[in-house]
Amino acid sequence: MPAQLIQDNSGFCLLKLDEINFFLSRLHSVEDIFLIDDDVWEQAKKELQTVFQNSSKLESCLGLIRDFETINPKRRYKSDLELFIRESKLNDFFGESGETIFVSTIHKVKGKEFDHVFLMLNNFNLSLDERIRQLYVAMTRARRDLTIHLNSDFLDGISSEDVEYMEDKIDYSPPEELAIHLTHSDIWLDYFIQRQPQIARIRSGDTLYVRGDECLDGNGQSVLKFSRNFMSEHYERLHRQGYELKRAMVNFIVYWQSEKVAKEIKIILPELFFERKK
């Protein structure tokens, strides 16, 4: 079955997301800096969908726009829109589908509900109050069915209607593939200063090609380099565990301010895929 990871934008405000930044720039091109004209609003949406039609983040951005339209059906002020975006999280606008398995941390699904929830608790320790609160949040996300997979005994002996206990003694191997989302600290940020023309042609979801400590675009041009910290710690740790970096894709394109240039620049936050050595 298809699976989708529920992502958040920890590490950057949604105002910095390339797609959102573009949408706001289309609205700000009009002299009236307070109230957004309906025609300008609709034209900005059309341009967003045209320019970013292949972006993996387009649907989330359109979901954000639809939510703002619902809250503000008649008059839309730019200041209200920017505040709404600033206070929003990307994981608030995922498209729920009965045919898709959504994968998430407990933190990211707070406030959401699903018909069927499968909760994975690996060596989960209830000695801290915060852990108890997390478990409560996770268990109450289920509307109909809750299945808990755990290797601890703190739920043993609980009796309730329609509860079924099963024991699985299979020794599962490590996963064949790992997907890692890189943050600002994992990439060489100033490297992007000289790569702006190439990044302007890239969209979220595009394939990147790994070569050593860098990633190339579809034209074979280098657009990203990993930080020394990522290579010496995270990359080497996964390598010791038997994983090899096989492929990459663009997860986010966001704006970032370097001390070396006056204007904000676009940077790529990639998703890396490691596979176990055969």
Side-chain angles (χ1 to χ4, degrees), residues 3-4 22 37 41 76 168 171 181 209 230 236 258:
Q4 177 182 334
F22 176 88
D37 180 79
W41 180 267
R76 304 185 185 108
D168 184 354
D171 186 14
H181 291 166
Y209 302 90
F230 173 78
E236 287 300 325
S258 170

Side-chain angles (χ1 to χ4, degrees), residues 28-276:
H28 290 167
S29 63
V30 181
E31 291 183 0
D32 184 355
I33 62 172
F34 301 108
L35 185 64
I36 305 172
D37 180 79
D38 288 345
D39 291 337
V40 173
W41 180 267
E42 292 301 323
Q43 181 61 30
K45 285 200 301 183
K46 290 180 181 178
E47 292 185 36
L48 173 67
Q49 294 178 77
T50 299
V51 175
F52 293 93
Q53 58 183 312
N54 296 321
S55 168
S56 60
K57 300 297 180 287
L58 176 60
E59 286 305 317
S60 294
C61 293
L62 292 176
L64 181 151
I65 293 171
R66 285 193 294 269
D67 275 23
F68 183 78
E69 290 173 334
T70 300
I71 298 171
N72 302 270
K74 295 182 179 180
R75 300 172 69 86
R76 304 185 185 108
Y77 293 92
K78 292 179 182 177
S79 58
D80 291 341
L81 174 61
E82 292 185 4
L83 180 62
F84 179 77
I85 296 172
R86 191 180 299 277
E87 295 180 345
S88 296
K89 296 294 183 183
L90 192 66
N91 54 296
D92 294 333
F93 308 104
F94 72 96
E96 188 171 351
S97 169
E99 297 299 322
T100 301
I101 299 173
F102 290 99
V103 183
S104 176
T105 62
I106 295 174
H107 175 72
K108 293 175 187 175
V109 292
K110 189 174 183 180
K112 300 177 176 59
E113 289 185 338
F114 305 88
D115 285 340
H116 310 280
V117 170
F118 296 84
L119 181 57
M120 311 296 188
L121 303 177
N122 184 25
N123 297 318
F124 199 81
N125 187 348
L126 283 186
S127 60
L128 299 176
D129 289 343
E130 176 60 24
R131 285 292 197 168
I132 296 175
R133 287 192 291 269
Q134 287 179 349
L135 182 59
Y136 175 79
V137 167
M139 295 176 70
T140 53
R141 297 311 90 202
R143 297 190 188 104
R144 292 175 53 188
D145 302 309
L146 171 65
T147 302
I148 304 175
H149 299 259
L150 74 166
N151 48 11
S152 304
D153 60 2
F154 56 82
L155 293 181
D156 290 357
I158 293 179
S159 61
S160 180
E161 186 178 356
D162 296 328
V163 170
E164 180 182 359
Y165 286 90
M166 299 178 64
E167 186 173 0
D168 184 354
K169 294 185 177 181
I170 297 176
D171 186 14
Y172 293 94
S173 301
E176 294 297 321
E177 183 179 86
L178 293 177
I180 308 295
H181 291 166
L182 270 57
T183 64
H184 289 66
S185 62
D186 299 317
I187 51 179
W188 180 5
L189 293 171
D190 282 334
Y191 185 75
F192 293 106
I193 295 175
Q194 303 301 325
R195 297 294 182 273
Q196 294 303 289
Q198 292 87 353
I199 295 176
R201 300 189 293 267
I202 296 175
R203 297 289 180 260
S204 296
D206 283 358
T207 298
L208 298 174
Y209 302 90
V210 180
R211 185 178 67 185
D213 65 345
E214 63 182 351
C215 289
L216 314 179
D217 64 11
N219 297 320
Q221 295 182 303
S222 177
V223 294
L224 177 154
K225 279 200 173 186
F226 306 126
S227 67
R228 292 181 181 178
N229 177 69
F230 173 78
M231 293 300 295
S232 63
E233 294 188 15
H234 305 291
Y235 179 86
E236 287 300 325
R237 174 176 53 81
L238 291 171
H239 189 72
R240 290 192 299 270
Q241 294 175 2
Y243 289 95
E244 290 183 335
L245 178 55
K246 291 294 187 179
R247 54 193 178 93
M249 63 172 285
V250 178
N251 191 23
F252 296 109
I253 297 178
V254 299
Y255 281 85
W256 173 77
Q257 181 64 63
S258 170
E259 296 179 353
K260 297 182 179 180
V261 292
K263 294 178 61 177
E264 289 185 324
I265 61 172
K266 290 183 181 182
I267 67 171
I268 297 172
L269 299 179
E271 181 177 15
L272 305 184
F273 298 90
F274 291 80
E275 295 180 8
R276 287 185 69 196

